[in-house]
Amino acid sequence: MTSAFRRYVTADGFSQFGTHVTRVALPLVALLVLDAGPLELGLLGAAEMVGFLLFGLPAGVWVDRLRRKPILVTADVLRAVSLVSVPIAALFDALTLAQLYAVAVIVSIGTAFFDVAHLSFLPSIVTKEQLPKGMGTLESVRSLAVLFGPGFGGWLVQVLTAPIAIVADAVSYLISAILLATVKAEETPSGGA
């Protein structure tokens, strides 16, 4: 596989791993720092799905009409900036449930666009013959992140506190954005625009 593909997979590994850290840390921020109850935790879980519900289908249309690499990089940066606001607010004792809900919605919108663009970008950096191996590699990375990310997230929460553990995900998105920005690819949007 090419160096572009290796960067792409490395970016995916950082992003996937960080995502699973936040899946553990964000509800724990609400629970441990803000004393959220069952209703608030349920609303936070719902906020984490809003982006997919509202933008899942339209994201596919927009991604098809635009170059995917800028969408991937923008989504990563948006998610990183949003997440880093949590430990900053916690540091100044200004964190609220409303902010957590907003962060969850922003991250889910970024993830909806990222996920659609992510797999659509793969054919731009590998040949048609390499596509099955590329998809298998990405699925292996995802599986490893699902397996080890939550445990690592729990450990970070225990060692650093929940808000600071979220920094790991923000950093993972920034690393992913930098790596993706360096991937050389020939993209041809299919829908015009």
Side-chain angles (χ1 to χ4, degrees):
M1 292 284 186
T2 65
S3 66
F5 179 73
R6 284 191 295 276
R7 279 192 203 106
Y8 180 70
V9 169
T10 304
D12 186 52
F14 276 104
S15 179
Q16 290 278 346
F17 207 82
T19 295
H20 289 284
V21 167
T22 291
R23 287 200 175 138
V24 170
L26 196 62
L28 287 175
V29 169
L31 187 65
L32 300 173
V33 176
L34 300 174
D35 296 319
L39 176 62
E40 289 91 0
L41 289 174
L43 290 173
L44 183 61
E48 292 174 316
M49 301 309 298
V50 166
F52 296 99
L53 293 173
L54 296 179
F55 295 99
L57 291 175
V61 174
W62 292 329
V63 165
D64 195 40
R65 295 171 185 247
L66 303 167
R67 290 180 40 246
R68 286 140 184 115
K69 187 166 94 171
I71 293 169
L72 293 169
V73 172
T74 301
D76 272 344
V77 170
L78 176 71
R79 295 185 291 180
V81 169
S82 176
L83 285 168
V84 84
S85 74
V86 172
I88 290 171
L91 202 64
F92 291 102
D93 201 29
L95 187 62
T96 65
L97 279 169
Q99 180 182 352
L100 283 187
Y101 297 150
V103 166
V105 168
I106 291 166
V107 168
S108 74
I109 291 169
T111 301
F113 279 93
F114 185 92
D115 287 355
V116 172
H118 186 249
L119 288 179
S120 302
F121 186 57
L122 184 60
S124 300
I125 56 175
V126 299
T127 65
K128 188 176 183 179
E129 295 75 27
Q130 295 171 322
L131 201 53
K133 183 177 180 183
M135 295 288 280
T137 301
L138 291 174
E139 184 56 30
S140 295
V141 167
R142 189 195 70 75
S143 295
L144 286 171
V146 167
L147 186 61
F148 295 109
F152 183 65
W155 178 79
L156 283 176
V157 167
Q158 185 173 5
V159 171
L160 302 173
T161 73
I164 303 304
I166 290 177
V167 172
D169 194 13
V171 169
S172 78
Y173 286 137
L174 288 177
I175 292 170
S176 175
I178 291 166
L179 288 169
L180 288 169
T182 65
V183 170
K184 303 245 186 288
E186 290 294 322
E187 289 190 83
T188 310
S190 61

Short mmCIF file of all heavy atoms in Angstrom, two decimals, residues 27-83:
data_model
loop_
_atom_site.label_atom_id
_atom_site.label_comp_id
_atom_site.label_asym_id
_atom_site.label_seq_id
_atom_site.Cartn_x
_atom_site.Cartn_y
_atom_site.Cartn_z
N PRO A 27 -19.97 11.04 29.18
CA PRO A 27 -21.01 10.80 30.19
C PRO A 27 -20.46 10.86 31.62
O PRO A 27 -21.17 11.29 32.54
CB PRO A 27 -21.52 9.38 29.87
CG PRO A 27 -21.07 9.09 28.49
CD PRO A 27 -19.86 9.92 28.24
N LEU A 28 -19.20 10.46 31.79
CA LEU A 28 -18.62 10.53 33.13
C LEU A 28 -18.37 11.97 33.57
O LEU A 28 -18.45 12.28 34.76
CB LEU A 28 -17.33 9.71 33.20
CG LEU A 28 -17.54 8.20 33.18
CD1 LEU A 28 -16.21 7.46 33.13
CD2 LEU A 28 -18.36 7.75 34.38
N VAL A 29 -18.11 12.86 32.62
CA VAL A 29 -18.02 14.29 32.96
C VAL A 29 -19.36 14.74 33.51
O VAL A 29 -19.44 15.40 34.56
CB VAL A 29 -17.62 15.14 31.74
CG1 VAL A 29 -17.80 16.63 32.03
CG2 VAL A 29 -16.19 14.87 31.31
N ALA A 30 -20.44 14.39 32.80
CA ALA A 30 -21.78 14.79 33.25
C ALA A 30 -22.09 14.20 34.63
O ALA A 30 -22.62 14.89 35.50
CB ALA A 30 -22.82 14.33 32.23
N LEU A 31 -21.74 12.96 34.82
CA LEU A 31 -22.06 12.26 36.06
C LEU A 31 -21.19 12.72 37.24
O LEU A 31 -21.70 13.07 38.30
CB LEU A 31 -21.91 10.76 35.85
CG LEU A 31 -22.36 9.85 36.97
CD1 LEU A 31 -23.86 9.95 37.17
CD2 LEU A 31 -21.96 8.41 36.65
N LEU A 32 -19.89 12.74 37.03
CA LEU A 32 -18.96 12.99 38.14
C LEU A 32 -18.71 14.47 38.43
O LEU A 32 -18.50 14.85 39.57
CB LEU A 32 -17.62 12.31 37.86
CG LEU A 32 -17.67 10.79 37.70
CD1 LEU A 32 -16.31 10.25 37.27
CD2 LEU A 32 -18.15 10.13 38.97
N VAL A 33 -18.74 15.30 37.39
CA VAL A 33 -18.43 16.72 37.57
C VAL A 33 -19.70 17.54 37.77
O VAL A 33 -19.74 18.45 38.59
CB VAL A 33 -17.62 17.27 36.37
CG1 VAL A 33 -17.37 18.76 36.50
CG2 VAL A 33 -16.30 16.53 36.24
N LEU A 34 -20.76 17.20 37.02
CA LEU A 34 -21.98 18.00 37.05
C LEU A 34 -23.13 17.32 37.79
O LEU A 34 -24.25 17.83 37.77
CB LEU A 34 -22.39 18.35 35.62
CG LEU A 34 -21.35 19.16 34.82
CD1 LEU A 34 -21.79 19.32 33.38
CD2 LEU A 34 -21.10 20.50 35.47
N ASP A 35 -22.87 16.18 38.39
CA ASP A 35 -23.89 15.44 39.15
C ASP A 35 -25.17 15.21 38.34
O ASP A 35 -26.28 15.35 38.86
CB ASP A 35 -24.22 16.15 40.46
CG ASP A 35 -23.04 16.21 41.41
OD1 ASP A 35 -22.31 15.20 41.51
OD2 ASP A 35 -22.83 17.27 42.03
N ALA A 36 -25.02 14.87 37.08
CA ALA A 36 -26.17 14.63 36.21
C ALA A 36 -26.93 13.39 36.68
O ALA A 36 -26.34 12.42 37.15
CB ALA A 36 -25.72 14.44 34.77
N GLY A 37 -28.24 13.46 36.52
CA GLY A 37 -29.09 12.33 36.85
C GLY A 37 -29.40 11.52 35.61
O GLY A 37 -28.91 11.81 34.51
N PRO A 38 -30.25 10.52 35.75
CA PRO A 38 -30.59 9.65 34.62
C PRO A 38 -31.19 10.41 33.42
O PRO A 38 -30.86 10.11 32.28
CB PRO A 38 -31.62 8.68 35.20
CG PRO A 38 -31.36 8.68 36.67
CD PRO A 38 -30.86 10.06 36.99
N LEU A 39 -32.05 11.38 33.68
CA LEU A 39 -32.65 12.15 32.59
C LEU A 39 -31.58 12.91 31.82
O LEU A 39 -31.54 12.88 30.58
CB LEU A 39 -33.71 13.11 33.12
CG LEU A 39 -34.34 14.04 32.07
CD1 LEU A 39 -35.07 13.23 31.00
CD2 LEU A 39 -35.27 15.04 32.72
N GLU A 40 -30.69 13.59 32.54
CA GLU A 40 -29.63 14.38 31.88
C GLU A 40 -28.68 13.47 31.09
O GLU A 40 -28.27 13.82 29.99
CB GLU A 40 -28.82 15.19 32.90
CG GLU A 40 -29.57 16.35 33.51
CD GLU A 40 -30.31 15.99 34.79
OE1 GLU A 40 -30.24 14.82 35.22
OE2 GLU A 40 -30.95 16.88 35.36
N LEU A 41 -28.38 12.30 31.64
CA LEU A 41 -27.52 11.36 30.91
C LEU A 41 -28.22 10.84 29.66
O LEU A 41 -27.59 10.67 28.61
CB LEU A 41 -27.10 10.20 31.81
CG LEU A 41 -26.10 10.55 32.90
CD1 LEU A 41 -25.87 9.35 33.83
CD2 LEU A 41 -24.78 11.02 32.31
N GLY A 42 -29.52 10.62 29.78
CA GLY A 42 -30.28 10.21 28.60
C GLY A 42 -30.31 11.29 27.53
O GLY A 42 -30.18 10.99 26.34
N LEU A 43 -30.48 12.53 27.96
CA LEU A 43 -30.46 13.64 27.00
C LEU A 43 -29.09 13.79 26.34
O LEU A 43 -28.99 14.10 25.15
CB LEU A 43 -30.87 14.95 27.69
CG LEU A 43 -32.33 15.05 28.11
CD1 LEU A 43 -32.57 16.31 28.95
CD2 LEU A 43 -33.24 15.03 26.89
N LEU A 44 -28.04 13.55 27.12
CA LEU A 44 -26.69 13.61 26.55
C LEU A 44 -26.50 12.52 25.50
O LEU A 44 -25.96 12.77 24.42
CB LEU A 44 -25.64 13.47 27.66
CG LEU A 44 -24.18 13.59 27.22
CD1 LEU A 44 -23.90 14.96 26.59
CD2 LEU A 44 -23.26 13.36 28.42
N GLY A 45 -26.99 11.34 25.79
CA GLY A 45 -26.94 10.26 24.81
C GLY A 45 -27.71 10.60 23.55
O GLY A 45 -27.27 10.32 22.43
N ALA A 46 -28.87 11.24 23.72
CA ALA A 46 -29.66 11.66 22.56
C ALA A 46 -28.92 12.75 21.77
O ALA A 46 -28.93 12.73 20.53
CB ALA A 46 -31.02 12.18 23.01
N ALA A 47 -28.29 13.67 22.47
CA ALA A 47 -27.53 14.74 21.80
C ALA A 47 -26.41 14.17 20.95
O ALA A 47 -26.08 14.71 19.89
CB ALA A 47 -26.98 15.73 22.83
N GLU A 48 -25.84 13.04 21.39
CA GLU A 48 -24.77 12.41 20.64
C GLU A 48 -25.27 11.79 19.33
O GLU A 48 -24.46 11.45 18.46
CB GLU A 48 -24.08 11.34 21.49
CG GLU A 48 -23.30 11.91 22.65
CD GLU A 48 -22.72 10.86 23.58
OE1 GLU A 48 -23.44 9.89 23.91
OE2 GLU A 48 -21.55 11.02 23.98
N MET A 49 -26.57 11.66 19.17
CA MET A 49 -27.14 11.07 17.96
C MET A 49 -27.79 12.09 17.02
O MET A 49 -28.13 11.76 15.90
CB MET A 49 -28.18 10.00 18.34
CG MET A 49 -27.63 8.88 19.19
SD MET A 49 -26.15 8.09 18.54
CE MET A 49 -26.71 7.43 17.01
N VAL A 50 -27.96 13.31 17.49
CA VAL A 50 -28.67 14.33 16.71
C VAL A 50 -28.04 14.57 15.34
O VAL A 50 -28.73 14.68 14.33
CB VAL A 50 -28.76 15.66 17.51
CG1 VAL A 50 -29.18 16.82 16.63
CG2 VAL A 50 -29.75 15.50 18.65
N GLY A 51 -26.73 14.63 15.29
CA GLY A 51 -26.04 14.88 14.02
C GLY A 51 -26.36 13.82 12.98
O GLY A 51 -26.58 14.13 11.81
N PHE A 52 -26.40 12.57 13.41
CA PHE A 52 -26.71 11.48 12.49
C PHE A 52 -28.16 11.55 12.02
O PHE A 52 -28.45 11.32 10.85
CB PHE A 52 -26.43 10.13 13.15
CG PHE A 52 -24.99 9.93 13.49
CD1 PHE A 52 -24.54 10.14 14.78
CD2 PHE A 52 -24.08 9.55 12.52
CE1 PHE A 52 -23.21 9.98 15.10
CE2 PHE A 52 -22.74 9.39 12.84
CZ PHE A 52 -22.30 9.60 14.13
N LEU A 53 -29.06 11.87 12.95
CA LEU A 53 -30.48 11.94 12.60
C LEU A 53 -30.77 13.08 11.64
O LEU A 53 -31.53 12.93 10.69
CB LEU A 53 -31.32 12.09 13.86
CG LEU A 53 -31.33 10.89 14.79
CD1 LEU A 53 -32.06 11.22 16.10
CD2 LEU A 53 -31.99 9.69 14.12
N LEU A 54 -30.17 14.25 11.90
CA LEU A 54 -30.46 15.43 11.07
C LEU A 54 -29.62 15.51 9.80
O LEU A 54 -30.08 16.04 8.79
CB LEU A 54 -30.26 16.71 11.89
CG LEU A 54 -31.18 16.90 13.09
CD1 LEU A 54 -30.82 18.19 13.81
CD2 LEU A 54 -32.63 16.92 12.65
N PHE A 55 -28.38 15.03 9.86
CA PHE A 55 -27.47 15.25 8.75
C PHE A 55 -26.96 13.99 8.08
O PHE A 55 -26.21 14.07 7.11
CB PHE A 55 -26.26 16.08 9.23
CG PHE A 55 -26.62 17.47 9.64
CD1 PHE A 55 -26.79 17.78 10.98
CD2 PHE A 55 -26.83 18.46 8.69
CE1 PHE A 55 -27.13 19.06 11.37
CE2 PHE A 55 -27.18 19.74 9.06
CZ PHE A 55 -27.33 20.04 10.41
N GLY A 56 -27.34 12.82 8.57
CA GLY A 56 -26.85 11.58 7.99
C GLY A 56 -27.12 11.46 6.50
O GLY A 56 -26.21 11.23 5.71
N LEU A 57 -28.36 11.63 6.10
CA LEU A 57 -28.71 11.52 4.67
C LEU A 57 -28.23 12.71 3.86
O LEU A 57 -27.60 12.53 2.81
CB LEU A 57 -30.21 11.31 4.51
CG LEU A 57 -30.74 9.95 4.98
CD1 LEU A 57 -32.25 9.90 4.89
CD2 LEU A 57 -30.11 8.83 4.19
N PRO A 58 -28.46 13.95 4.30
CA PRO A 58 -27.96 15.08 3.50
C PRO A 58 -26.43 15.09 3.39
O PRO A 58 -25.89 15.52 2.37
CB PRO A 58 -28.45 16.31 4.26
CG PRO A 58 -29.54 15.85 5.14
CD PRO A 58 -29.30 14.41 5.41
N ALA A 59 -25.75 14.59 4.41
CA ALA A 59 -24.28 14.56 4.36
C ALA A 59 -23.81 13.73 3.17
O ALA A 59 -22.85 14.10 2.49
CB ALA A 59 -23.71 13.99 5.66
N GLY A 60 -24.50 12.64 2.89
CA GLY A 60 -24.13 11.81 1.74
C GLY A 60 -24.22 12.57 0.43
O GLY A 60 -23.33 12.46 -0.42
N VAL A 61 -25.26 13.35 0.28
CA VAL A 61 -25.43 14.14 -0.95
C VAL A 61 -24.35 15.21 -1.05
O VAL A 61 -23.72 15.38 -2.09
CB VAL A 61 -26.84 14.77 -0.99
CG1 VAL A 61 -26.99 15.70 -2.18
CG2 VAL A 61 -27.91 13.69 -1.00
N TRP A 62 -24.11 15.94 0.06
CA TRP A 62 -23.10 17.00 0.03
C TRP A 62 -21.71 16.44 -0.19
O TRP A 62 -20.93 17.00 -0.95
CB TRP A 62 -23.15 17.81 1.33
CG TRP A 62 -24.40 18.63 1.48
CD1 TRP A 62 -25.14 19.19 0.49
CD2 TRP A 62 -25.05 18.97 2.70
NE1 TRP A 62 -26.22 19.85 1.01
CE2 TRP A 62 -26.19 19.74 2.37
CE3 TRP A 62 -24.80 18.69 4.03
CZ2 TRP A 62 -27.05 20.24 3.32
CZ3 TRP A 62 -25.65 19.19 4.99
CH2 TRP A 62 -26.77 19.96 4.63
N VAL A 63 -21.39 15.35 0.48
CA VAL A 63 -20.06 14.75 0.35
C VAL A 63 -19.84 14.29 -1.08
O VAL A 63 -18.74 14.40 -1.62
CB VAL A 63 -19.89 13.59 1.36
CG1 VAL A 63 -18.70 12.72 1.01
CG2 VAL A 63 -19.76 14.14 2.77
N ASP A 64 -20.88 13.79 -1.71
CA ASP A 64 -20.76 13.31 -3.08
C ASP A 64 -20.45 14.45 -4.06
O ASP A 64 -19.86 14.23 -5.10
CB ASP A 64 -22.05 12.59 -3.49
CG ASP A 64 -21.87 11.76 -4.74
OD1 ASP A 64 -20.81 11.12 -4.87
OD2 ASP A 64 -22.79 11.75 -5.58
N ARG A 65 -20.84 15.66 -3.71
CA ARG A 65 -20.66 16.81 -4.60
C ARG A 65 -19.38 17.60 -4.36
O ARG A 65 -19.06 18.51 -5.09
CB ARG A 65 -21.85 17.75 -4.47
CG ARG A 65 -23.14 17.13 -4.94
CD ARG A 65 -24.32 18.00 -4.59
NE ARG A 65 -25.55 17.34 -4.96
CZ ARG A 65 -26.34 17.77 -5.91
NH1 ARG A 65 -26.08 18.86 -6.57
NH2 ARG A 65 -27.43 17.10 -6.19
N LEU A 66 -18.68 17.27 -3.28
CA LEU A 66 -17.50 18.05 -2.89
C LEU A 66 -16.28 17.15 -2.75
O LEU A 66 -16.40 15.93 -2.67
CB LEU A 66 -17.77 18.74 -1.54
CG LEU A 66 -18.99 19.66 -1.49
CD1 LEU A 66 -19.31 20.03 -0.06
CD2 LEU A 66 -18.74 20.90 -2.33
N ARG A 67 -15.11 17.77 -2.68
CA ARG A 67 -13.90 17.01 -2.39
C ARG A 67 -13.97 16.53 -0.94
O ARG A 67 -14.35 17.27 -0.04
CB ARG A 67 -12.67 17.88 -2.64
CG ARG A 67 -12.47 18.16 -4.13
CD ARG A 67 -11.26 19.01 -4.48
NE ARG A 67 -10.07 18.72 -3.71
CZ ARG A 67 -9.51 19.58 -2.85
NH1 ARG A 67 -10.04 20.77 -2.65
NH2 ARG A 67 -8.42 19.26 -2.19
N ARG A 68 -13.58 15.31 -0.74
CA ARG A 68 -13.75 14.70 0.58
C ARG A 68 -12.66 15.09 1.58
O ARG A 68 -12.94 15.19 2.77
CB ARG A 68 -13.81 13.18 0.43
CG ARG A 68 -15.15 12.76 -0.14
CD ARG A 68 -14.98 11.65 -1.13
NE ARG A 68 -16.25 11.31 -1.73
CZ ARG A 68 -16.49 11.49 -3.00
NH1 ARG A 68 -15.60 12.04 -3.79
NH2 ARG A 68 -17.65 11.13 -3.52
N LYS A 69 -11.44 15.25 1.11
CA LYS A 69 -10.35 15.54 2.04
C LYS A 69 -10.62 16.80 2.86
O LYS A 69 -10.47 16.77 4.09
CB LYS A 69 -9.01 15.64 1.31
CG LYS A 69 -7.84 15.78 2.26
CD LYS A 69 -6.50 15.55 1.58
CE LYS A 69 -5.91 16.83 1.12
NZ LYS A 69 -4.51 16.67 0.64
N PRO A 70 -11.05 17.92 2.27
CA PRO A 70 -11.36 19.10 3.10
C PRO A 70 -12.49 18.85 4.11
O PRO A 70 -12.47 19.39 5.21
CB PRO A 70 -11.77 20.16 2.08
CG PRO A 70 -11.18 19.72 0.79
CD PRO A 70 -11.15 18.23 0.84
N ILE A 71 -13.44 18.00 3.74
CA ILE A 71 -14.53 17.67 4.66
C ILE A 71 -13.96 16.89 5.85
O ILE A 71 -14.30 17.17 7.00
CB ILE A 71 -15.64 16.86 3.95
CG1 ILE A 71 -16.34 17.73 2.91
CG2 ILE A 71 -16.64 16.29 4.96
CD1 ILE A 71 -17.26 16.97 1.99
N LEU A 72 -13.10 15.94 5.57
CA LEU A 72 -12.49 15.13 6.64
C LEU A 72 -11.68 16.00 7.59
O LEU A 72 -11.82 15.90 8.82
CB LEU A 72 -11.60 14.05 6.03
CG LEU A 72 -12.32 12.95 5.24
CD1 LEU A 72 -11.32 12.10 4.47
CD2 LEU A 72 -13.16 12.09 6.15
N VAL A 73 -10.84 16.86 7.04
CA VAL A 73 -9.99 17.71 7.87
C VAL A 73 -10.84 18.69 8.67
O VAL A 73 -10.63 18.87 9.88
CB VAL A 73 -8.95 18.45 6.99
CG1 VAL A 73 -8.19 19.50 7.80
CG2 VAL A 73 -7.98 17.46 6.36
N THR A 74 -11.82 19.31 8.04
CA THR A 74 -12.70 20.25 8.73
C THR A 74 -13.48 19.58 9.86
O THR A 74 -13.60 20.12 10.96
CB THR A 74 -13.68 20.92 7.74
OG1 THR A 74 -12.91 21.60 6.74
CG2 THR A 74 -14.60 21.90 8.43
N ALA A 75 -14.00 18.39 9.58
CA ALA A 75 -14.75 17.65 10.62
C ALA A 75 -13.86 17.33 11.80
O ALA A 75 -14.28 17.47 12.96
CB ALA A 75 -15.36 16.38 10.03
N ASP A 76 -12.63 16.92 11.54
CA ASP A 76 -11.71 16.61 12.64
C ASP A 76 -11.39 17.86 13.46
O ASP A 76 -11.41 17.82 14.69
CB ASP A 76 -10.41 16.02 12.09
CG ASP A 76 -10.45 14.51 11.95
OD1 ASP A 76 -11.35 13.88 12.53
OD2 ASP A 76 -9.57 13.96 11.27
N VAL A 77 -11.12 18.97 12.80
CA VAL A 77 -10.80 20.21 13.52
C VAL A 77 -12.01 20.68 14.32
O VAL A 77 -11.88 21.08 15.48
CB VAL A 77 -10.29 21.30 12.56
CG1 VAL A 77 -10.18 22.65 13.24
CG2 VAL A 77 -8.94 20.88 11.96
N LEU A 78 -13.19 20.64 13.72
CA LEU A 78 -14.42 21.04 14.41
C LEU A 78 -14.63 20.20 15.68
O LEU A 78 -14.93 20.73 16.75
CB LEU A 78 -15.62 20.89 13.48
CG LEU A 78 -16.99 21.17 14.07
CD1 LEU A 78 -17.16 22.66 14.32
CD2 LEU A 78 -18.08 20.67 13.13
N ARG A 79 -14.45 18.90 15.55
CA ARG A 79 -14.63 18.03 16.71
C ARG A 79 -13.57 18.30 17.78
O ARG A 79 -13.89 18.33 18.97
CB ARG A 79 -14.62 16.56 16.28
CG ARG A 79 -15.80 16.22 15.38
CD ARG A 79 -15.89 14.77 15.03
NE ARG A 79 -14.82 14.33 14.15
CZ ARG A 79 -14.70 13.08 13.70
NH1 ARG A 79 -15.57 12.16 14.07
NH2 ARG A 79 -13.72 12.74 12.90
N ALA A 80 -12.34 18.52 17.36
CA ALA A 80 -11.26 18.80 18.33
C ALA A 80 -11.52 20.08 19.11
O ALA A 80 -11.42 20.11 20.34
CB ALA A 80 -9.92 18.88 17.61
N VAL A 81 -11.88 21.14 18.40
CA VAL A 81 -12.13 22.44 19.05
C VAL A 81 -13.31 22.33 20.00
O VAL A 81 -13.28 22.83 21.13
CB VAL A 81 -12.35 23.54 17.99
CG1 VAL A 81 -12.88 24.82 18.62
CG2 VAL A 81 -11.05 23.81 17.23
N SER A 82 -14.34 21.65 19.56
CA SER A 82 -15.52 21.48 20.41
C SER A 82 -15.17 20.72 21.69
O SER A 82 -15.54 21.13 22.79
CB SER A 82 -16.60 20.73 19.61
OG SER A 82 -17.71 20.47 20.41
N LEU A 83 -14.45 19.63 21.55
CA LEU A 83 -14.11 18.81 22.71
C LEU A 83 -13.17 19.51 23.67
O LEU A 83 -13.30 19.37 24.89
CB LEU A 83 -13.50 17.48 22.26
CG LEU A 83 -14.51 16.48 21.70
CD1 LEU A 83 -13.79 15.32 21.03
CD2 LEU A 83 -15.43 15.97 22.79
#
